[in-house]
Amino acid sequence: MNKLPERIRIKDIAHLANVSVGTVDRVIHGRSGVSEASKKRVEEILKQLDYQPNMYASALASNKKYFFICLLPQHLKGEYWTAIEAGIYEAVTTYSDFNTSVKINYYDPYDYHSFVNASKTILAEEPDGVMVAPTAPQYTKGFTAQLKMLDIPYIFIDSKIEDTPPLAFFGQNSRQSGYFAARMLMLLAREEKEIVIFKKIHEGIVGSNQQESREIGFKQYMKEYHPLCKILELDLHAERNDEDNEMLDDFFRSHPNVNTGITFNSKVYIIGEYMQTRKKRKFNLIGYDLLERNVSCLKEGSISFLIAQQPELQGFNGIKALCDHLIFKKDVTRINYMPIDLLTAETIEYYHSK
C-alpha cells in the first residue's frame, strides 16, 4: 500500500479501492447504487485505515435543513414546562450552524383527544425529528407507531412508555423518585397515623404519566415500611383553581390531625401558600420542581423539601440527541435518567442560581 497523507481524504480511499469518489461517498453514508463487490472493497479499506469521517465538516458543507417539532402540555409562563422550552431553544441556538429549527406544539394534558389531534398535525408537517411528552400509553402508541412507519426518530421527555422504545428518553426514574419521596416524607412524619396526597385532577385524569408513576413508587415504599399508616387523598380541581382553598379548608376540618402531605406535580405552591394564609406552621410538605412560587414557599418554610429534576437539561439534551443522530450519525444512549435532587431552604440558593 502506498504511503498515505496524514489526513485521509475520500479521493485517497477511492484510489486504494479502485472506485470513484462518488462510490466511496455512497458507501460512507449508507446510500444505495453501489455493487456488492465495490462496497466490500471500500469497506475493507475503511476498516484498514480506521477511517472516521469528519461529520461536523460534512454537516456544515451539506446545507441540509433539519426541522424538529416538540409536543408539550399546555402551560402558563413560569410553570415547569417553561424551563423545558428554555432548554429546547438553547439547543437550537447551539446547533444553529447546522440549519436546525424547532416548532413547539401543545396539547391539553387533561384531554386525550387534544393529544391525538396535535399528533395528526405534526405528522402532516413531516418533521425530521420529534420530541414528545407522552400522554396515556394507548394514545401515545398510536402516534409513535406512525412516526416509526415514516422513519421519523422521536424522543420521550419527562416520562416514557413501556414497550415503546424511543431514540432516547430524558427524565427521572419516576417510580424511584416516588419511592425516595416517601422515605423522605416519613422521616418528617415519624409515627403519624395518617398522611395525605394532594392531586390536581380533571374528570379522573391526572394529566401526567410521571405523576402516576411517582405515586406508584410512593405507595410501594409505604406498603413495605409503613403499612399501618393511612394514606388519604384530596383531589383538587385541575381547572378550577379558585376552589382550592375552600376544598383544603373542608379537608382539614374533617382531618384536623393530619400534619404531613405530598403532591407529585409541580404545583405544590398551591398547598404551601394555603398553609401561609391559614398560618399552619407545623405541616410537613414535599413537592416537585423549582417554580418560583415553590421556591418562595420553601424559603418561607411552608414547604419542607422540593425534589428537582433539571428540566432545562432535559429539553437541551432531547434536541441534542436528535442532532447527534441525524446530523452527526452518532450512537445515542436510549435511557437517560435525570438526578433526583432533594432541596431545602438551606441549600436552594446554591442550586437555584445555576
Side-chain angles (χ1 to χ4, degrees):
M1 185 179 291
N2 296 331
K3 185 177 180 180
L4 293 169
E6 291 184 6
R7 179 174 176 271
I8 306 299
R9 298 165 296 181
I10 288 181
K11 72 176 185 178
D12 298 318
I13 297 168
H15 174 73
L16 292 170
N18 194 28
V19 297
S20 69
V21 169
T23 296
V24 175
D25 184 74
R26 283 192 287 274
V27 173
I28 288 174
H29 294 95
R31 292 192 285 270
S32 60
V34 180
S35 70
E36 281 300 316
S38 295
K39 181 181 178 182
K40 185 176 180 180
R41 286 203 305 275
V42 172
E43 288 177 340
E44 287 176 351
I45 296 298
L46 293 172
K47 185 176 180 180
Q48 291 173 21
L49 298 176
D50 190 26
Y51 177 76
Q52 300 293 327
N54 187 339
M55 301 307 296
Y56 190 93
S58 298
L60 283 173
S62 72
N63 287 322
K64 175 175 170 53
K65 295 181 178 179
Y66 297 89
F67 173 50
F68 306 137
I69 299 182
C70 302
L71 181 55
L72 305 180
Q74 295 170 355
H75 58 277
L76 300 175
K77 184 178 180 180
E79 292 184 346
Y80 170 77
W81 294 102
T82 303
I84 295 279
E85 290 178 332
I88 290 169
Y89 289 125
E90 182 182 352
V92 171
T93 299
T94 299
Y95 292 97
S96 60
D97 287 348
F98 302 99
N99 299 310
T100 58
S101 62
V102 66
K103 179 182 178 183
I104 300 180
N105 290 7
Y106 302 95
Y107 68 93
D108 182 345
Y110 300 104
D111 180 359
Y112 296 137
H113 297 295
S114 173
F115 181 92
V116 172
N117 292 335
S119 66
K120 289 178 180 178
T121 299
I122 290 173
L123 292 167
E125 295 191 59
E126 300 181 352
D128 296 292
V130 169
M131 184 161 72
V132 55
T135 188
Q138 62 267 36
Y139 298 98
T140 303
K141 287 182 177 181
F143 180 35
T144 56
Q146 291 180 292
L147 291 172
K148 184 177 181 180
M149 184 175 63
L150 295 170
D151 198 27
I152 298 174
Y154 60 91
I155 304 290
F156 280 155
I157 194 168
D158 189 60
S159 66
K160 56 188 175 71
I161 303 296
E162 298 300 326
D163 304 320
T164 308
L167 174 66
F169 160 71
F170 296 92
Q172 281 187 344
N173 182 328
S174 300
R175 289 198 184 191
Q176 191 67 26
S177 175
Y179 192 92
F180 171 73
R183 182 180 179 186
M184 295 299 101
L185 190 70
M186 295 314 291
L187 289 177
L188 300 173
R190 298 180 182 273
E191 302 301 322
E192 290 189 20
K193 300 296 188 292
E194 295 180 325
I195 62 172
V196 57
I197 295 174
F198 301 103
K199 299 181 182 180
K200 274 286 190 177
I201 195 165
H202 178 67
E203 296 183 355
I205 298 175
V206 175
S208 167
N209 298 331
Q210 189 184 70
Q211 291 176 48
E212 293 180 349
S213 294
R214 287 169 179 166
E215 184 174 338
I216 290 170
F218 182 91
K219 290 182 176 178
Q220 179 185 343
Y221 180 91
M222 295 299 294
K223 182 178 180 180
E224 291 176 4
Y225 292 99
H226 300 276
L228 300 180
C229 182
K230 186 176 181 180
I231 301 175
L232 305 171
E233 297 185 7
L234 176 61
D235 294 343
L236 301 171
H237 297 304
E239 298 187 345
R240 299 205 295 272
N241 295 334
D242 58 323
E243 298 179 9
D244 289 340
N245 284 0
E246 182 179 346
M247 294 182 71
L248 287 163
D249 282 339
D250 289 342
F251 174 83
F252 285 111
R253 272 194 294 268
S254 300
H255 304 89
N257 296 321
V258 174
N259 295 306
T260 301
I262 188 168
T263 180
F264 300 114
N265 62 45
S266 61
K267 296 183 179 180
V268 64
Y269 64 81
I270 292 171
I271 316 302
E273 291 173 356
Y274 169 85
M275 297 301 172
Q276 292 177 28
T277 301
R278 298 298 189 264
K279 302 188 186 303
K280 290 177 68 70
R281 304 293 185 187
K282 295 183 179 181
F283 192 89
N284 304 308
L285 179 63
I286 292 180
Y288 281 79
D289 300 320
L290 301 189
L291 280 64
E292 290 300 326
R293 291 169 75 176
N294 289 351
V295 171
S296 177
C297 289
L298 184 70
K299 291 178 178 178
E300 292 292 328
S302 58
I303 293 176
S304 307
F305 295 141
L306 282 175
I307 298 175
Q309 54 182 327
Q310 301 184 8
E312 296 92 341
L313 191 59
Q314 292 181 52
F316 183 93
N317 283 345
I319 298 299
K320 179 180 183 296
L322 288 173
C323 291
D324 283 344
H325 175 71
L326 291 168
I327 302 175
F328 306 118
K329 317 302 179 187
K330 292 182 179 179
D331 291 333
V332 175
T333 301
R334 176 159 290 168
I335 302 299
N336 303 271
Y337 285 127
M338 306 305 295
I340 301 172
D341 296 323
L342 184 71
L343 302 173
T344 68
E346 293 79 15
T347 62
I348 186 66
E349 289 296 339
Y350 304 102
Y351 187 94
H352 195 232
S353 60
K354 290 181 180 180

